[in-house]
Amino acid sequence: MHVLVTGGAGFIGSHSVEKLLEANIPVRILDNFTSGTRDNLPNNSQLEIQEGDIRDEVAVHSAMKDITHVLHLAAQVSVQASVENPPESCSTNIGGFVNVLQASRANDVQRMVYASSAAVYGRPVQLPLSEKAMAQPCSPYGLEKYVNDQYAILFAKEFGVSLFGLRYFNVYGPRQDPQSPYAGVISKFISMIEQRQPLAVFGDGSQTRDFIFVKDIAKANVQALQSDMGGVCNVATGKIHSLLQLIDILSRCANQSVEVVHQTVREGDIPFSETEITRLQALMPTNDFTDLSSGLTALLQYTSQTVKK
Ligand code: UD1
């Protein structure tokens, strides 16, 4: 295998690159370094870095040279930014996606795995969410990811490209910037704990999410490249936690009591999320996801080290 990882310098990308290199698989990344950084990447002779944008056809085609597999993670990842500037978000998340898809086809790559999202489902009508649930995106970002899934189905069926879309749920872990507009609640809470500030809970804290550790996402990505499954697959642990449960575990992991301040419910917030992971279990039969407490402990340790630096 020789894998091209688009967005390889980003949060999920850099962990996926590490996992591939651990397995002795040579990697090339294509990244425009708008949100990813070189610091996220290891020094490794098996790793090649190409700076470029997925909207640039020439850059994408040149990045495909001698590549057997593509892991497409580069995207405009902020839901909020997609609401504020839909054309800009569309140009990366649909235009860029189609560029990578077409280049994979033209270069006869053996397989392309790409990042879809739980945002495709929008506000769930029925829980737990299986891949068969109706897509009802409620943001341009969710719609863009759904359009990706539809393109993938078409390119697989009509042009014989091997494609697999991973619908990530709530991802957390090292290198997710708490200041970034797409940082999840865990990054934000840990940053507040570090600063000994109260945690702002939007609503009563009963809302549930399926939180998955980024290293498990990286593992799923690598296994997805090596499998022959098609269509889309939810990527989540299958276990849910309410925000209040999350805070309780966080406080124990940090060995610190935390103060909570309740604020008004965030506009458009999803009250409950729960995921059905039968397809993922077929991809990863060992089902050994990092439990929330271990993931939070690892993240707290990482954060305290980076704060000290
Ligand atoms: C995710 C997206 C969000 C999008 C939504 C719908 C991210 C980080 N967020 O939200 O932009 O609109 O899917 O597709 O990708 N919370 C607090 N305090 C905080 C931050 C969050 O109480 O300081 C709450 C939120 O109101 C929410 C829960 O924590 O109920 C989780 O929030 P978040 O991590 O943003 O994830 P999603 O709600 O799934």
Side-chain angles (χ1 to χ4, degrees), residues 129-140:
L129 281 164
S130 92
E131 292 85 355
K132 293 193 192 85
M134 216 212 296
Q136 287 180 311
C138 48
S139 64

Side-chain angles (χ1 to χ4, degrees), residues 185 189 200-211 240-247 262-266 269-273:
V185 65
F189 280 179
V201 170
F202 305 145
D204 64 5
S206 65
Q207 61 265 53
T208 58
R209 293 292 184 275
D210 189 323
F211 297 107
I240 50 164
H241 290 88
S242 69
L243 273 200
L244 294 183
Q245 286 171 327
L246 166 70
I247 291 169
H262 289 275
Q263 298 184 356
T264 45
V265 175
R266 190 169 68 180
D269 208 39
I270 292 165
F272 303 108
S273 175

